[in-house]
């Protein structure tokens, strides 16, 4: 099962390398956005603009690498954000792992 995101201009970078481009919430925390399908990610990239492209990563890489890196950097995980302003839920990396385990 692929996980989509962050946008291509950030792909291959660790969370600490993309801190300036990770969206900032009202409370000052940053969230790294991910989408559960390529279609959702493509819609988000089109809405967000800025020439962003969709890139896939394997679920195990997201779970075993990206989420622990995000936790160490203090980031939240934005899941399936939608709309012209890309809004939605953000969870801690641990909450994201728990939701993934519950969905299996």
């Amino acid at each position: 099962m692929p996980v989509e995101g962050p946008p291509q201009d950030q792909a291959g970078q660790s969370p600490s390398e993309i801190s300036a481009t990770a969206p900032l919430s009202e409370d000052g925390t940053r969230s790294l956005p991910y989408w559960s399908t390529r279609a959702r990610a493509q819609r988000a990239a089109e809405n967000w603009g800025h020439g962003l492209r969709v890139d896939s990563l394997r679920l195990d890489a997201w779970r075993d690498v990206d989420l622990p890196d995000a936790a160490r950097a203090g980031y939240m995980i934005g899941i399936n954000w939608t709309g012209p302003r890309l809004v939605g839920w953000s969870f801690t990396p641990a909450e994201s792992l728990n939701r993934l385990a519950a969905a299996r």
Side-chain angles (χ1 to χ4, degrees):
M1 175 171 137
V3 176
E4 307 295 336
Q8 181 62 36
D9 67 335
Q10 300 170 352
Q13 297 177 352
S14 71
S16 60
E17 293 173 307
I18 61 174
S19 63
T21 58
L24 188 63
S25 72
E26 290 178 5
D27 69 1
T29 58
R30 293 207 181 266
S31 291
L32 299 175
Y34 293 88
W35 291 268
S36 57
T37 67
R38 179 169 286 281
R40 287 180 180 202
Q42 188 61 46
R43 276 193 306 273
E46 290 166 3
N47 285 338
W48 208 350
H50 308 290
L52 300 176
R53 297 182 321 235
V54 173
D55 192 25
S56 292
L57 82 139
R58 290 173 43 99
L59 180 60
D60 60 341
W62 183 68
R63 182 191 60 224
D64 299 339
V65 178
D66 284 30
L67 290 180
D69 284 352
R72 282 189 289 278
Y75 292 131
M76 301 290 284
I77 304 299
I79 303 293
N80 290 330
W81 290 353
T82 61
R85 295 181 49 224
L86 289 185
V87 295
W89 295 97
S90 289
F91 303 99
T92 66
E95 289 170 328
S96 299
L97 285 169
N98 288 340
R99 287 175 169 271
L100 179 62
R104 289 180 161 226

